[in-house]
Amino acid sequence: MKKGDIILLFVLFVAILSSVLFIFLKPKAVECVVYENGTERYRYPLNEDLTVMIPTGDDHYNILEIKDGKANVVKADCANQICVHTAPISKVGDSIICLPHKLSFILESE
Ligand SMILES: [Zn+2]
């Protein structure tokens, strides 16, 4: 094997390794999916800050805030306020449930 071949092999090896690493390390897009009564209603990417009012069927609301990669219910007019008191969620599988409004906010990967 010539010296040039070894360098070529090395360059190839590094190129393959970095593309494999890129695929594995690439962060998956996480979305906050809002379900009302088990039906998907809205989907918001977690990497874009936003504050949105989620209206429920019977003139009530929950206000969802997405900030710094976390989703949080900041305000709601439900009876028990459990959704408002739930800590912000940031990992896939995390959820915030509002039972009085039959709403669930679940983090899913695309
Ligand atoms: Zn609630």
Side-chain angles (χ1 to χ4, degrees):
M1 213 185 264
K2 281 185 299 223
K3 201 179 176 186
D5 291 341
I6 295 171
I7 292 169
L8 190 68
L9 270 178
F10 182 73
V11 168
L12 261 178
F13 176 73
V14 170
I16 291 168
L17 190 73
S18 53
S19 56
V20 166
L21 277 181
F22 180 76
I23 291 165
F24 278 101
L25 297 180
K26 194 178 155 225
K28 283 213 180 79
V30 179
E31 292 177 323
C32 181
V33 187
V34 183
Y35 292 91
E36 183 179 7
N37 220 344
T39 307
E40 183 182 322
R41 285 272 181 261
Y42 310 97
R43 225 167 229 277
Y44 304 103
L46 214 57
N47 58 3
E48 285 169 33
D49 291 1
L50 134 139
T51 305
V52 65
M53 182 188 273
I54 313 284
T56 64
D58 41 5
D59 284 337
H60 291 290
Y61 68 92
N62 290 54
I63 294 178
L64 171 72
E65 183 185 78
I66 294 176
K67 207 177 157 199
D68 302 328
K70 291 182 181 140
N72 192 21
V73 173
V74 289
K75 204 168 189 284
D77 63 347
C78 62
N80 61 18
Q81 297 286 298
I82 287 175
C83 54
V84 178
H85 293 135
T86 305
I89 52 174
S90 59
K91 289 195 293 290
V92 170
D94 284 351
S95 60
I96 297 176
I97 312 284
C98 182
L99 269 184
H101 291 173
K102 299 192 182 78
L103 282 180
S104 35
F105 305 79
I106 301 175
L107 298 190
E108 298 178 1
S109 62
E110 253 180 327

